[in-house]
Amino acid sequence: MKALRDALDSVHPYFEKGAILEKAYPVYEALDTFLYTPGETTHGLTHVRDGIDLKRMMSMVVFALVPVTLFGMWNVGYQATEAVEKMTAAGIDIDYDWHHQLFQAIGFGYDASDHVANFVLGAIFFLPMYIVTMFVGGHIELVFSVLRGHEINEGFLVTGLLFPLTLPASIPLWQVALGIAFGVIVAKEVFGGTGRNFLNVALTSRAFLYFAYAGQISGDKVWTAVDGYSGATALGQMAIAEQDAVGSLASVDYVWGAQEPITWMSAFIGTIQGCVGETSALLCLVGAGILIACGVGSWKIMTGVIGGVVATSLLLNVVGSETNPMFEVPFYWHLVIGGLAFGLVYMATDPVSASMTETGKWFYGGLIGFMTVLIRVINPAFPEGIMLAILFGNVFAPLIDYFVVQWNVSRRKARYATA
């Protein structure tokens, strides 16, 4: 390690102000601080409240994402392998793309009980999406950092992992590149970079793809990575139900001709089809525990979202509807289906785009929970609502903070006048 430290120190003069590689200093600084703790120290009087910095905070979020990432890769392979087995048994022709050809070429076969094979197949689908995201988004951040002459921030390490986890495994890679480029430029860099964006970058990237290429990111043919497959997600099945939304999950139609159930427990564990990292509410709970324990994720926002979901679901259950069975969906189903658990743990708590004030976090979370259920139930065009609800909450977060601060100022004025 000393040799690496010496090597970095030996080239440092070339990147100093006025040296030949001055413009490339952000690249040197990013590599140096990624490998070693920054050597600069603050002089004079300081008021340090916490030893954690942005780099360590982002590292903890990435660590909290590890469980859902590993499970997501396994589940992608498991869903695809199970579909291949059943489609083959039913005599349905399957067009194996390059992912499956590579999977077979390295000696694996389709056996849903082989967990290693499931993980490898899932990794073959997920890793290219992750690499494309990091390459395209990372280079955009690099260019903006060099042009502005500031450091490369570590926030993209989180965005670069969050974004592919919110996508279906079968999405074309060029759309992954286009989506992350749009999010980094439009939602982040045009506002000045890390810490100045008011929208969550990963969700903005996903929202762009959702509206620009709806066919590749919604519908019943995109969630399992097998060509020719079709089968609705839990939310998709509920949205098209004519009478009993939850009861319709007992018999979901699949391309191989069978009707199979989606149970609450399978939705909670995550062994259902969906976006790569969003299916397991159980592992999102694990991630929430990590973020709360290390003080990075706000438990107030998470609780606020859950409270908003429960209150809105109960209200709609009471109101009821003769034409829309989604009104009858109980809150405990809303909490485990779709991307709600993933969104409330990893995206609603984004410290940059969320509400800053402690009181405001309750209102911010409650607003997101309320909007999520409202979009799911009222708008049949969007069976999933957490993405739009969080972006909606991002827009209102500054306003919520403003009113909380003004209320606090008024309260203090009144107390002073009384005294």
Side-chain angles (χ1 to χ4, degrees):
M1 296 301 290
K2 185 176 184 306
L4 181 58
R5 179 68 266 170
D6 291 342
L8 289 169
D9 290 341
S10 66
V11 299
H12 182 270
Y14 297 105
F15 297 93
E16 292 178 339
K17 191 172 184 179
I20 189 171
L21 297 177
E22 176 188 355
K23 291 290 187 184
Y25 178 77
V27 180
Y28 169 83
E29 192 277 340
L31 177 62
D32 191 1
T33 56
F34 183 79
L35 296 172
Y36 294 95
T37 301
E40 293 85 0
T41 56
T42 302
H43 301 283
L45 300 176
T46 59
H47 302 278
V48 178
R49 295 184 177 183
D50 197 325
I52 194 168
D53 58 8
L54 182 62
K55 192 187 300 292
R56 275 70 200 173
M57 179 184 289
M58 294 299 106
S59 299
M60 291 309 301
V61 179
V62 172
F63 178 68
L65 280 166
V66 170
V68 294
T69 304
L70 296 178
F71 179 84
M73 285 192 282
W74 173 85
N75 191 50
V76 166
Y78 173 73
Q79 297 296 328
T81 300
E82 195 174 46
V84 168
E85 286 182 334
K86 294 179 178 179
M87 291 169 69
T88 303
I92 300 174
D93 292 332
I94 302 173
D95 183 14
Y96 295 107
D97 64 7
W98 69 268
H99 301 90
H100 290 273
Q101 292 173 10
L102 175 60
F103 177 68
Q104 296 170 20
I106 57 179
F108 287 100
Y110 295 97
D111 179 4
S113 63
D114 186 344
H115 300 303
V116 174
N118 293 337
F119 185 83
V120 171
L121 180 57
I124 292 174
F125 276 92
F126 175 74
L127 290 180
M129 297 162 58
Y130 178 67
I131 292 170
V132 168
T133 300
M134 295 301 292
F135 182 83
V136 175
H139 277 78
I140 292 173
E141 292 240 339
L142 172 64
V143 169
F144 275 93
S145 296
V146 170
L147 292 177
R148 289 171 173 158
H150 62 60
E151 300 174 353
I152 300 175
N153 300 117
E154 292 75 15
F156 189 71
L157 293 176
V158 176
T159 302
L161 185 54
L162 280 174
F163 177 57
L165 289 174
T166 65
L167 299 175
S170 58
I171 192 169
L173 293 178
W174 66 267
Q175 290 185 10
V176 177
L178 197 58
I180 193 62
F182 179 89
V184 172
I185 295 173
V186 176
K188 185 176 182 180
E189 296 300 343
V190 296
F191 294 102
T194 299
R196 300 184 178 184
N197 53 292
F198 69 94
L199 294 176
N200 182 282
V201 179
L203 274 182
T204 304
S205 303
R206 190 184 191 279
F208 169 76
L209 294 179
Y210 188 84
F211 292 108
Y213 305 99
Q216 282 78 31
I217 204 170
S218 61
D220 63 349
K221 297 183 178 180
V222 303
W223 304 112
T224 293
V226 179
D227 285 344
Y229 167 89
S230 67
T233 61
L235 272 172
Q237 178 76 8
M238 287 179 170
I240 62 174
E242 296 181 354
Q243 293 182 349
D244 184 1
V246 174
S248 70
L249 296 179
S251 58
V252 180
D253 294 329
Y254 291 93
V255 68
W256 48 83
Q259 292 184 327
E260 299 178 359
I262 295 176
T263 65
W264 186 90
M265 185 55 69
S266 65
F268 176 69
I269 296 174
T271 53
I272 57 176
Q273 57 173 340
C275 293
V276 176
E278 295 185 347
T279 62
S280 178
L282 173 62
L283 291 177
C284 288
L285 279 175
V286 175
I290 295 173
L291 292 177
I292 293 172
C294 63
V296 173
S298 169
W299 65 270
K300 294 179 181 177
I301 292 177
M302 297 182 198
T303 307
V305 175
I306 295 173
V309 169
V310 172
T312 309
S313 302
L314 292 175
L315 176 63
L316 294 178
N317 291 164
V318 173
V319 172
S321 171
E322 296 181 356
T323 58
N324 187 348
M326 285 295 289
F327 274 72
E328 306 297 332
V329 176
F331 68 87
Y332 51 85
W333 268 102
H334 276 296
L335 292 173
V336 298
I337 57 177
L340 193 151
F342 186 86
L344 80 88
V345 172
Y346 298 107
M347 293 180 161
T349 57
D350 179 357
V352 176
S353 56
S355 183
M356 299 288 184
T357 56
E358 295 303 313
T359 304
K361 290 176 181 177
W362 290 103
F363 291 100
Y364 171 78
L367 176 64
I368 291 174
F370 167 74
M371 289 300 301
T372 299
V373 176
L374 199 65
I375 293 170
R376 284 181 173 184
V377 174
I378 301 296
N379 194 335
F382 301 106
E384 176 58 280
I386 186 67
M387 175 186 72
L388 297 176
I390 294 176
L391 292 175
F392 188 83
N394 290 165
V395 173
F396 276 85
L399 192 62
I400 293 172
D401 285 338
Y402 171 79
F403 282 115
V404 169
V405 171
Q406 291 304 310
W407 173 77
N408 200 33
V409 170
S410 300
R411 188 169 57 89
R412 284 173 176 264
K413 281 183 177 178
R415 187 168 58 191
Y416 177 76
T418 301

